[in-house]
Amino acid sequence: MGNGSARQSGVPGCRSVLLAAPSGFCAGVSRAVETVERALTRYGAPVYVRRQIVHNRQVVERLQHAGAVFVAEVDEVPAGAVLVLSAHGVAPGVREAAADRGLRVIDATCPLVTKVHREARRYAELGYDILLIGTPDHDEVIGTAGVAPGRTHIVDGLEAARVLEVADPGRLVWLAQTTLTVDETERVAAELRKRFPGLQDPPSDDICYAAQNRQAGAKLLAGASDVVLVVGSANSHNSCRLVDVARACGTPAHLVDDPAAIEDGWLHGAAVVGVTAGASAPAESIGAVIAELAARGYRDVRTVEVAREGQHFSLPRELAASRP
Ligand code: SF4
């Protein structure tokens, strides 16, 4: 349980919500979603999208309704069609396969993922092996590892760091998936440094601003709430990490994809409910959870701001002219 949350609510028996800001869409997700919307306007349906454009069920369903067709691989897309690549990025082989099919490709890869790809490419060209801290089956990690497949070792946590073997310990750099938790990544990196003292750090912070801000918010909520609800889908890596962060502070935390997922038992005895949302969760989902909590007596909603985000990414060049 969080520290003294019932005291913070002031009035005995008063039930309230603390809403973290920022919550929900980051600049990379906004750009990716807008890319599909504008591609549909410009080229007409269907527009094909490789994998989920962002890891959120409601967003995917809404875009499907508007005419987007989600596919697992490029070979499912008819020759000559429009294909949008998701925010998580792809290995170069995917672009080559799309070019071979004559597809009109619009790349919605988040610029912060592209930055990690550039780092991987540069270090591989310098003869380094890359220790990529991340989840092996996540789309982003598959894409980043594909930039330098012969030189990348995926390190999935502390245990993997302890047993990793490399050919040349003198030329190593570690990089990271953008949505990891800062604390866990630092633990893994510290283990890698212990084993390989010459290990180079990434040239810049790979864990993105949006993940860091939302994690800071989850920590703050955990310290001031009896339970934390994280709005997001189960396959959203950054949303699941927010649950981890809150639980690591000792506060119960649950992922909620929609209001119907809120279980009565979670709120039992809770005076203050913390609410945050992963970077792929739309504002409508956050609003629906807040409305459900209000219907259950949590009508006092206060926002706790941990950061202000002014980031904004321009659309892919094929669509840039279509933005007013
Ligand atoms: Fe980009 Fe970070 Fe958003 Fe991922 S979470 S899309 S890396 S800004």
Side-chain angles (χ1 to χ4, degrees):
M1 182 179 286
N3 300 326
S5 54
R7 283 195 302 278
Q8 286 206 5
S9 65
V11 185
C14 172
R15 290 184 284 182
S16 62
V17 170
L18 287 182
L19 176 63
S23 288
F25 275 17
C26 59
V29 165
S30 296
R31 173 183 184 263
V33 172
E34 188 180 349
T35 295
V36 178
E37 290 167 346
R38 291 197 178 276
L40 283 163
T41 304
R42 178 154 183 176
Y43 302 106
V47 160
Y48 291 83
V49 183
R50 182 181 178 277
R51 309 284 169 92
Q52 291 194 349
I53 184 73
V54 299
H55 288 156
N56 182 272
R57 183 173 59 82
Q58 289 87 348
V59 170
V60 167
E61 286 174 359
R62 185 174 64 73
L63 292 173
Q64 272 174 330
H65 194 66
V69 176
F70 291 87
V71 297
E73 289 304 342
V74 166
D75 60 12
E76 297 166 48
V77 184
V82 175
L83 174 69
V84 177
L85 302 176
S86 83
H88 309 99
V90 297
V94 173
R95 283 197 186 80
E96 288 157 18
D100 289 347
R101 277 185 93 70
L103 304 182
R104 189 183 296 207
V105 174
I106 303 174
D107 189 355
T109 302
C110 175
L112 300 183
V113 175
T114 302
K115 184 202 75 160
V116 182
H117 285 204
R118 273 200 302 272
E119 292 169 353
R121 190 173 304 113
R122 186 159 71 86
Y123 277 98
E125 285 168 1
L126 291 171
Y128 279 71
D129 271 13
I130 295 147
L131 312 186
L132 176 60
I133 303 176
T135 307
D137 59 356
H138 190 277
D139 286 338
E140 181 189 323
V141 173
I142 294 168
T144 305
V147 171
R151 292 200 163 273
T152 304
H153 308 262
I154 299 172
V155 185
D156 182 17
L158 260 185
E159 193 46 40
R162 288 189 184 116
V163 298
L164 179 71
E165 298 293 342
V166 296
D168 181 2
R171 289 177 89 76
L172 290 177
V173 63
W174 71 271
L175 303 178
Q177 185 176 349
T178 55
T179 52
L180 296 178
T181 64
V182 178
D183 297 342
E184 177 62 11
T185 304
E186 189 40 51
R187 274 193 286 276
V188 175
E191 179 65 25
L192 291 171
R193 276 189 217 103
K194 204 163 73 185
R195 295 206 48 221
F196 310 112
L199 178 68
Q200 284 208 20
D201 290 331
S204 61
D205 205 349
D206 286 345
I207 299 175
C208 84
Y209 78 95
Q212 295 198 33
N213 288 343
R214 284 153 189 72
Q215 287 169 27
K219 267 188 193 167
L220 201 146
L221 291 182
S225 312
D226 298 299
V227 60
V228 173
L229 303 183
V230 177
V231 184
S233 291
N235 65 338
S236 164
H237 188 270
N238 80 89
S239 303
C240 294
R241 298 296 72 77
L242 297 182
V243 174
D244 293 345
V245 165
R247 286 181 182 166
C249 297
T251 302
H254 307 279
L255 190 69
V256 288
D257 206 0
D258 60 56
I262 300 172
E263 295 182 16
D264 291 341
W266 298 347
L267 304 181
H268 187 70
V272 181
V273 178
V275 175
T276 184
S280 48
E284 302 79 55
S285 297
I286 303 169
V289 166
I290 296 287
E292 175 64 23
L293 288 170
R296 296 182 187 216
Y298 296 87
R299 290 188 195 88
D300 172 31
V301 180
R302 282 171 293 152
T303 300
V304 282
E305 185 178 88
V306 291
R308 288 196 181 172
E309 293 183 346
Q311 283 80 356
H312 175 82
F313 298 136
S314 54
L315 287 172
R317 65 177 181 282
E318 297 84 355
L319 298 169
S322 67
R323 189 179 251 170

